[in-house]
């Protein structure tokens, strides 16, 4: 993540596009890791996205069993 970014987060969505959880990221302390607890979510498929300054940079699918 660029240190020029004002805001950044990893957001987790259900397959209907509903936001379930947002993990704010700090450009000053960027480690490149976010720890997500599987107990926070029901088993199923989700989408997580990296959002920087309001723009979706990338998204991936995640399956919890």
């Amino acid at each position: 993540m660029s240190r020029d970014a004002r805001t950044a987060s990893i957001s987790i969505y259900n397959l209907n596009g509903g936001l379930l959880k947002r993990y704010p990221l700090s450009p000053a302390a960027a480690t490149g890791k976010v720890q997500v607890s599987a107990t926070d979510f029901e088993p199923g498929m989700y989408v997580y996205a990296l959002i920087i300054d309001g723009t979706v940079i990338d998204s991936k699918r995640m399956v919890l069993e």
Side-chain angles (χ1 to χ4, degrees):
M1 175 173 54
S2 169
R3 295 202 187 275
D4 295 334
R6 292 186 311 263
T7 62
S9 65
I10 298 288
S11 295
I12 299 179
Y13 301 90
N14 62 27
L15 292 182
N16 293 322
L19 176 64
L20 301 176
K21 191 147 186 163
R22 177 175 288 136
Y23 298 88
L25 302 173
S26 170
T31 62
K33 296 180 183 181
V34 172
Q35 186 170 351
V36 176
S37 175
T39 60
D40 290 344
F41 304 96
E42 297 288 325
M45 187 177 295
Y46 300 90
V47 174
Y48 63 96
L50 171 62
I51 302 170
I52 298 178
D53 293 334
T55 301
V56 176
I57 302 301
D58 197 9
S59 64
K60 303 283 183 193
R61 285 188 221 161
M62 169 174 65
V63 177
L64 298 177
E65 297 180 356

